[in-house]
Each structure stands twice: as structure tokens, then as C-alpha cells.
Amino acid sequence: MKDEVLRRFAEGRVWAAGRAPYLASALFALRPVVLEPRVDEVSGELVADAEFRAFPADTRWQVYLDPGTALNTSAEEVGWWLLHHIGHLVRRHAARAPVSSPHWAQAADAEVNDDLEAGAPAGVVSPRALGLPEGRMAEEYLSLIEVLDAAHRRGGRPLAELIDCGSASDGVERPYEDSGAGEGLDEVERELLELAIAREIENRAAGRSPVGGGWRRWAGERLRPAVDWRAQLGAVVRRGVRQAAGRVDFSYRRPARRPGVNGVVLPAMVAPAPEIVLVVDTSGSIPPGTLARFLAEITALVTRAGGPARRFRVICCDLHAHPVQTVRRAEEVELTGGGGTDLREGIAAAVALRPRPDLIVVLTDGQTPWPEHRPPVPVLVGLTGTEPPPSWARTVSLPT
Ligand SMILES: [Zn+2]
């Protein structure tokens, strides 16, 4: 039975490689993991487990196959899901996922399915199916989908059914992932594979082979990351801010500018100002000039995002987290520390702060142990060295 399941996976892969030849190496990097079959107690027949309808993937490029589902799904549909998951994986949706956002999975699907409209299984979310513009990032779809979903719920029905794509989509580890523990691709292998896929896509596109627009955009960005680190940093901070603002509530505290019909006061949208905490690696290995410049940039971004009166919190970290400082300007930060670095301490201290931060910005040369699991708050790393932080962090390389 396991062989049959693996055969269906292989058939799906061949179909997918025919549809998107530029993703052939990606398809062959996927590792199938066959789950324990679900069997009907009475008839003894295989049962398809709806939870595994999408053949969910994890961030190590492992695809989990429920035998009942796999054997009841056509090779075309299996192949479609493989292409879909490659979309999640190379776009790093797991690392980009905001903490506990109920609509992220659909937003990520909308970004991925832009190029996969044809042949999509029933009930799958895509920009066209939702009536949304094409070619956007999941972060943009997220806010659009939140608005759409709220409207649909008022009408008494959800926007679309939820289809689980696994941790490849949202970064949350599933219990069944244990069965594939320790296998699959590690961070370096992922990096190399992504570069190889991006190069393949560019070569094919240059040779006038048809390549989906979303894939071409992705390859271009992957091979030529933005050189302007300020712009990149700004984009990530704004994204963190948008995530904070995603918790926008309708509040009657401030009336809307426009009076309501017949004198009814309309609620105003109140976006909470984002709480940003800066964790600075003060072990002494970062040149003071770099440190000062980065602090100044961060202050400017925080001010732009939250207004000039905005204060932000700073934690200096060497082997230990130093007491939190609340400052308004970069010059007010008192840099304390020296010796070794353990940023796990600084990040843990930042996560424990109340009010809890919406975004943690870390400045480091990367010579430090990192938390093993993704912290419950998005982390942006300004990196002065070459040692890469874990994939759950957004990293911006800083010129030294
Ligand atoms: Zn998906």
C-alpha cells in the first residue's frame, strides 16, 4: 500500500514537471512521507482524512501523504498541490506568517495560486476567485481578505473553506511532523535549492519558455535582493506595523470625521500604534559606527510609523539581557555590555515585556545562539556579519 501511495506521488510529480518544467528540480527535492493509513473499523477499507486533503508540507520540504487521500486523488491534483507547496516554500510563507492570524493561510494561498489558476481543486482560494487584484504579496492579500471575510460573516457564511497546507504555509509545527523528524532539507540546502530554482527560471524565461509571471518576479527578487538596505528595513518594519494594525478595531472612542446618516455616529477605525522593541547585541563585535547608524535608522523608522512622540524600548544584550530602556531618540540609548553574546536571553526578555511587542528588531553580527523555535513575536534581524540567523527571522544585511 505504501508503494502505491509513493507511486501516486511520483505520478503527480511527473505531471507537475510537465506543467512547470522550470520547477523540476524543486519537485524532485520534495520528500514524500507516508502517514499511517486511516481505516474504517467496520469495512476495513481505507478512509480519506480530510485534514490531509492538501497533502500538507513542512518547511523541510517534506510532503505528508495520507494513504486514503492519496489513492483517491488523481495524479493531476496531487501534482497541482506539489506545485502549490513549492510556492509556499520558496516564498518563505512560514517565516512571514504573522502570529496567530486566522486568514494568513488564505492570503498565502492567494499569493501562490496567482500562477496556478488552471486546474485548481474545488474550494481553493485564488485572487481571481476572491475578486482581488492579481500579483500581490500575501501581506497585502491578508488585509483585503480580512475585510472580505468580515463582510461574508455578516452574511452568515465564511469566505472560503479552510484548507490546511501545513507548516510550510504558517510555520506552526504539526503533531504528525514528528514522523519525518530530522529528515528533509536543512537551511543551507534550502538556500542553495532556491538559488538553483531561481536561476533555472531566469534561464528558461530568457529562452522564451513560458514561465508564470509570479514565478519570474520571485526569481528576480531572489537573485537580486534589494541593494538598498534602508528600503528593505523600512518595508519589513512597515509590514510589522501593518500586522499590528491588522488588529484594527471599530471603536466609538473617536467619532469618524464624516457624520453618519440621520445623526448616527459612525465608529472610527483605530489602529493601535505598534510596539517595537530593539534588542542590541552589545558584545563588542559590532563596529560602533555601524551601531550608531543602525540605531539612527531604526529611530527614524519607528518615528515615521508611530509619530514623533513615540517612545520605544531597547534591551542591550551580551551573555545576559540588560535592563530595558525606554527612549525617544537613538542618542538616548546607553549601550552596556561586552564579552560573549547569547541573544536568546535578549529575545526572551523582549517577548516577556508588557505590553508585549508587535515587532522585535535585533541588531547583531550573528555570532550567537538563537532560540530553537520561532518566538511568538515577529523578529527582524539587522545583520552585520555573514552567519545567517534562523529562517523564522526576517534578515536584512547591513553594510559595515
Ligand atoms: Zn496553501
Side-chain angles (χ1 to χ4, degrees), residues 9 13-14 16-17 20-32 57 60-63 79 81-91 185 189-190 192-201 204 215 218:
F9 171 83
R13 192 169 53 187
V14 167
Y22 47 95
L23 294 178
S25 51
L27 285 160
F28 280 85
L30 290 169
R31 179 178 171 274
R60 304 176 66 87
W61 287 67
Q62 305 190 98
V63 176
W81 282 114
L82 300 182
L83 295 173
H84 176 91
H85 293 323
I86 291 170
H88 283 310
L89 287 164
V90 303
R91 287 178 176 84
L185 303 188
E189 290 166 330
R190 284 188 68 176
L192 295 174
L193 176 64
E194 286 177 16
L195 290 173
I197 299 166
R199 259 182 247 114
E200 179 69 23
I201 287 174
R204 297 242 177 193
W215 283 105
W218 169 79

Side-chain angles (χ1 to χ4, degrees), residues 31-324:
R31 179 178 171 274
V33 178
V34 179
L35 296 163
E36 283 295 317
R38 251 180 70 170
V39 177
D40 185 281
E41 279 175 31
V42 183
S43 67
E45 281 180 29
L46 269 183
V47 180
D49 187 338
E51 189 192 340
F52 294 97
R53 186 189 149 185
F55 308 103
D58 66 17
T59 54
R60 304 176 66 87
W61 287 67
Q62 305 190 98
V63 176
Y64 293 87
L65 303 160
D66 167 52
T69 309
L71 298 179
N72 280 305
T73 305
S74 67
E76 288 84 347
E77 187 171 331
V78 173
W80 188 91
W81 282 114
L82 300 182
L83 295 173
H84 176 91
H85 293 323
I86 291 170
H88 283 310
L89 287 164
V90 303
R91 287 178 176 84
R92 303 273 172 155
H93 281 155
R96 284 161 57 189
V99 182
S100 63
S101 165
H103 299 299
W104 174 257
Q106 292 174 331
D109 279 357
E111 183 184 346
V112 168
N113 291 344
D114 226 353
D115 283 333
L116 286 173
E117 199 87 39
V124 162
V125 161
S126 74
R128 208 172 304 166
L130 295 174
L132 296 176
E134 294 177 25
R136 304 295 170 89
M137 305 278 282
E139 285 78 1
E140 289 173 66
Y141 286 128
L142 184 58
S143 31
L144 296 169
I145 286 174
E146 274 162 359
V147 174
L148 272 183
D149 188 65
H152 274 254
R153 273 178 206 287
R154 279 195 295 275
R157 62 204 159 93
L159 178 64
E161 64 176 310
L162 277 175
I163 299 176
D164 189 21
C165 288
S167 59
S169 163
D170 62 14
V172 180
E173 205 173 299
R174 307 293 196 276
Y176 57 79
E177 285 182 19
D178 286 341
S179 54
E183 307 261 354
L185 303 188
D186 66 22
E187 191 47 42
V188 175
E189 290 166 330
R190 284 188 68 176
E191 189 82 19
L192 295 174
L193 176 64
E194 286 177 16
L195 290 173
I197 299 166
R199 259 182 247 114
E200 179 69 23
I201 287 174
E202 292 228 317
N203 289 341
R204 297 242 177 193
R208 296 184 182 278
S209 303
V211 178
W215 283 105
R216 270 208 310 279
R217 271 196 307 280
W218 169 79
E221 283 157 20
R222 191 69 186 79
L223 293 173
R224 287 173 296 280
V227 281
D228 185 350
W229 68 275
R230 279 181 193 83
Q232 219 181 339
L233 187 64
V236 180
V237 169
R238 276 193 303 279
R239 187 177 303 148
V241 167
R242 239 189 346 257
Q243 285 172 10
R247 296 192 321 259
V248 172
D249 57 342
F250 285 96
S251 162
Y252 287 90
R253 271 178 292 153
R254 278 187 293 155
R257 224 178 284 272
R258 208 173 337 150
V261 189
N262 301 332
V264 176
V265 177
L266 294 175
M269 293 254 267
V270 177
E275 287 287 339
I276 298 176
V277 174
L278 196 57
V279 176
V280 187
D281 173 351
T282 45
S283 59
S285 43
I286 298 177
T290 308
L291 203 62
R293 207 174 53 216
F294 186 79
L295 277 174
E297 295 287 347
I298 284 286
T299 321
L301 287 166
V302 171
T303 308
R304 224 170 295 151
R310 191 86 194 126
R311 292 164 184 272
F312 63 102
R313 292 171 289 178
V314 180
I315 294 173
C316 294
C317 184
D318 43 28
L319 277 174
H320 304 283
H322 291 254
V324 60

Side-chain angles (χ1 to χ4, degrees), residues 92 95 187 370-372 381 388-395:
R92 303 273 172 155
E187 191 47 42
W370 294 94
E372 200 178 322
V381 177
S391 60
W392 46 252
R394 296 281 304 180
T395 303

